[in-house]
Amino acid sequence: MTRSKVVELLNNGNAGDSVTVYGWVRTKRGNKQINFVALNDGSTINNLQVVVDMEKADEAVMKKVTTGAAVAVSGTLTESQGSGQNIELNGESIEVLGEANPEKYPLQPKRHSLEFLREIAHLRMRTNLFGSISRLRHAMIFAVHEFFNSKGFINVHTPIITASDAEGAGEMFRVTTLDAKNPPLTEEGEIDWKQDFFGKATNLTVSGQLEGELAAMAMGEIYTFGPTFRAENSNTTRHLSEFWMIEPEMAFYDIVDNMDLAEEFLKYLIKYALDNCMDDLKFLSQRLQQEEKNKPQAERSMELIEKLEFVLANDFVRLTYTEAINILENSKPNKKKKFQYPVEGFGTDLQSEHERYLVEKHFKKPVILTDYPASIKAFYMKENEDGKTVRAMDILFPGIGEIVGGSQREENLDVLEAKMDKMGVPKEEMSWYLDTRRFGSAVHSGFGLGFERLMLFVSGMTNIRDVIPFPRAPKQAEF
RNA sequence: UCCUCAGUAGCUCAGUUGGUUAGAGCGGCGGACUGUUAAUCCGUAGGUCGUAGGUUCAAGUCCUACCUGAGGAGCCA
């Protein structure tokens, strides 16, 4: 007999069908006459109820059917007499494939704290919550590729090991095969990287953007979707040391085309979740509502599905950095000196509290901020005619902050080189990058979307460590 | 990295101004119940109080250091 998935049986099973299911036991309850086993195989949030007639069942086998055990069940689908489900499986034969000692198995049929589940990340995907998140994450990965593929973008695998340290996107993890205890030294007493595996100092990538630009300047429209590494000592609910980033890069796109694409992309992903993951979203929503009960009314967020639909239905607010500074300067919290960091005109770097005010209080919807001062942004961003600002754009989401950061790129070689000199970026090492401006340069743009931040928004989770299966963060590299 | 808070049973927590033998709920185990939905009811076992020092007649409780975790800030996606 072939194996059926729980999701197929619940959606398309008919009473009378003879089926075999494999899965893990969530709970067992009942009495001497009858037992009910809730079976889950990861294919859906919903469990298949297996009904066992204890007068016919092997008692020794049923004793091993405990929470967490892997079982194979064969039997006949029947319409359920109970109220929690339409269809259930009349279990005629049950085989325990793998026992789970109930005195030692850490997942119990009860609510666990997220902190505890983080400590047992190797098992937490067996919970309803992390099962839902895993399916949702998969759906979002799939939707990313579907979106770009449908628009004719080429997926490019940019290198994970890089030698360039000029991107200025934070601390990097060194990649080396040198003996850590006894590295070869130069005459000056410095580590001699020439003797290392690649003949130079290498790191894990902090961004695929520069290579993405090379590809875009040949293929037109490309995107990358890969792991990214930052060795920053960040201990927050929004940062990981290893995370996944999507970076489209498009030739012949200016900053407005870039914004249009980013907004369309985010909405596509959210719609995909609503269209394909409703069971999981409903569960996540219920969980969120439960959490929010403990919060004061004013701090409660919108119901999850309502929030997703709201973002779909409304245009993102677009405004310049300068306009944002104006709003902030005239805002109540600024006048009442409620901001920890006062807003002091053009040049002020926006702090979390400022971004949150704009998104959560003032506009109450996603905001795209553009035209930041050149002084607070990266060297490769396209300078505006005013000479003061650059064509950068950050998309700010409620509860998350910056979810997308992007820009139109400086395509003029002279301007770019002048900026690199000014900001101390080594031109010689980046000669390969500058070749895109030397030969066939053109207007182009791109952005980076933090995949886990998207997951935070879509799932309603609040800690980024809960939306990636095996989080990497300072002092955390287990599993 | 900085600030704040926390660490007591498998899990979630209570534990008074320092004072006998450290408690509860859930989970586990045993039992009861002919259809349950995180079942219900009865019973039962389960603890190096994060680690190391210190103060004291006496420390889960006070002090110091360290470790771990959470929330916030910075850095950013």
Side-chain angles (χ1 to χ4, degrees):
Chain A
M1 196 181 284
T2 55
R3 173 185 164 215
S4 300
K5 293 267 202 137
V6 168
V7 67
E8 294 159 8
L9 299 182
L10 291 178
N11 290 341
N12 304 313
N14 295 308
D17 290 355
S18 233
V19 299
T20 298
V21 198
Y22 290 69
W24 292 269
V25 175
R26 284 293 168 75
T27 61
K28 182 180 75 171
R29 45 181 182 269
N31 52 46
K32 270 191 182 140
Q33 284 72 39
I34 190 165
N35 268 201
F36 301 94
V37 179
L39 193 69
N40 190 281
D41 66 356
S43 61
T44 163
I45 177 83
N46 300 305
N47 299 326
L48 177 67
Q49 172 153 288
V50 176
V51 185
V52 182
D53 183 343
M54 293 303 280
E55 275 157 17
K56 292 179 190 161
D58 183 335
E59 210 172 301
V61 171
M62 286 311 289
K63 199 146 176 87
K64 292 177 183 170
V65 176
T66 58
T67 301
V71 297
V73 185
S74 295
T76 312
L77 285 183
T78 52
E79 276 181 33
S80 181
Q81 297 172 36
S83 59
Q85 56 284 315
N86 295 324
I87 207 152
E88 64 193 15
L89 178 60
N90 199 3
E92 281 133 31
S93 89
I94 297 193
E95 186 190 349
V96 175
L97 305 171
E99 296 175 37
N101 182 343
E103 282 177 11
K104 292 188 177 151
Y105 186 61
L107 289 172
Q108 301 146 7
K110 58 168 282 188
R111 209 179 170 77
H112 290 290
S113 68
L114 295 173
E115 290 85 352
F116 173 66
L117 292 170
R118 256 168 243 154
E119 287 169 18
I120 52 163
H122 57 301
L123 294 172
R124 68 179 177 171
M125 274 190 275
R126 296 185 183 196
T127 63
N128 286 334
L129 177 60
F130 285 89
S132 277
I133 292 168
S134 303
R135 280 182 298 272
L136 183 61
R137 187 175 166 110
H138 163 74
M140 290 297 91
I141 293 167
F142 193 76
V144 166
H145 289 295
E146 200 176 80
F147 175 80
F148 286 120
N149 184 58
S150 74
K151 289 186 150 313
F153 281 55
I154 298 288
N155 180 236
V156 176
H157 286 160
T158 50
I160 289 168
I161 299 171
T162 68
S164 108
D165 60 352
E167 291 157 48
E171 292 294 311
M172 296 174 143
F173 289 103
R174 179 135 273 158
V175 174
T176 179
T177 55
L178 294 180
D179 182 357
K181 263 190 197 160
N182 191 19
L185 301 178
T186 62
E187 281 175 14
E188 292 79 38
E190 302 292 319
I191 291 172
D192 186 6
W193 297 109
K194 286 206 177 94
Q195 293 188 46
D196 202 352
F197 189 89
F198 293 106
K200 53 169 75 171
T202 49
N203 308 286
L204 294 178
T205 183
V206 292
S207 164
Q209 182 198 317
L210 300 187
E211 289 89 352
E213 285 188 50
L214 308 181
M217 295 307 280
M219 310 301 292
E221 289 144 320
I222 68 97
Y223 71 105
T224 73
F225 188 173
T228 310
F229 308 88
R230 305 267 167 97
E232 296 287 349
N233 193 4
S234 296
N235 292 289
T236 78
T237 54
R238 306 181 293 288
H239 291 85
L240 290 166
S241 307
E242 176 182 290
F243 63 99
W244 291 71
M245 188 154 64
I246 299 140
E247 294 179 288
E249 193 71 37
M250 299 76 64
F252 319 118
Y253 273 49
D254 67 13
I255 187 71
V256 177
D257 301 326
N258 200 21
M259 282 190 276
D260 290 345
L261 181 76
E263 181 168 346
E264 186 188 349
F265 179 45
L266 285 167
K267 286 180 171 171
Y268 181 90
L269 296 176
I270 290 166
K271 183 163 192 311
Y272 192 93
L274 287 167
D275 288 348
N276 295 279
C277 307
M278 201 37 106
D279 282 353
D280 289 317
L281 288 179
K282 277 182 185 159
F283 176 82
L284 289 164
S285 171
Q286 279 167 19
R287 189 206 72 88
L288 193 60
Q289 299 290 95
Q290 203 75 28
E291 295 270 296
E292 302 270 305
K293 269 187 194 164
N294 304 322
K295 288 190 188 168
Q297 196 83 37
E299 286 175 29
R300 288 184 201 173
S301 61
M302 210 185 271
E303 189 273 324
L304 180 62
I305 294 165
E306 200 184 320
K307 181 184 80 177
L308 298 178
E309 283 169 347
F310 176 84
V311 169
L312 273 191
N314 289 279
D315 288 342
F316 296 0
V317 175
R318 299 182 185 194
L319 77 161
T320 66
Y321 163 90
T322 307
E323 289 163 342
I325 288 287
N326 265 325
I327 291 169
L328 287 166
E329 277 183 327
N330 294 316
S331 69
K332 259 188 205 164
N334 195 51
K335 284 181 173 165
K336 290 185 178 170
K337 303 208 188 299
K338 286 276 169 65
F339 284 137
Q340 196 190 331
Y341 298 87
V343 180
E344 289 164 333
F346 187 87
T348 308
D349 207 348
L350 296 183
Q351 305 292 323
S352 286
E353 57 179 351
H354 305 140
E355 295 180 350
R356 272 211 309 276
Y357 174 82
L358 287 172
V359 175
E360 290 161 22
K361 295 269 152 53
H362 190 82
F363 291 111
K364 296 194 165 103
K365 55 170 98 166
V367 171
I368 311 182
L369 277 180
T370 59
D371 302 289
Y372 282 82
S375 58
I376 60 173
K377 287 287 180 185
F379 74 91
Y380 49 73
M381 294 188 180
K382 173 76 180 170
E383 214 168 73
N384 277 313
E385 291 76 21
D386 63 13
K388 279 175 23 187
T389 59
V390 289
R391 288 185 196 164
M393 62 134 181
D394 284 359
I395 303 186
L396 310 178
F397 262 35
I400 289 159
E402 188 180 341
I403 195 167
V404 162
S407 68
Q408 185 176 325
R409 318 306 191 190
E410 181 56 70
E411 82 280 11
N412 181 301
L413 180 67
D414 295 337
V415 175
L416 186 57
E417 284 191 324
K419 278 187 85 172
M420 288 171 84
D421 287 341
K422 201 168 143 194
M423 294 190 178
V425 182
K427 283 185 297 191
E428 307 73 37
E429 275 178 41
M430 308 267 300
S431 180
W432 50 269
Y433 177 72
L434 293 172
D435 268 2
T436 52
R437 277 64 168 179
R438 285 191 189 104
F439 311 115
S441 189
V443 165
H444 64 289
S445 299
F447 63 84
L449 168 70
F451 185 64
E452 283 75 20
R453 291 198 179 165
L454 170 83
M455 281 298 300
L456 281 180
F457 186 75
V458 178
S459 68
M461 300 297 290
T462 50
N463 190 319
I464 202 161
R465 296 173 193 197
D466 295 330
V467 296
I468 187 167
F470 306 104
R472 296 290 176 260
K475 299 272 185 301
Q476 196 170 5
E478 234 191 311
F479 315 111

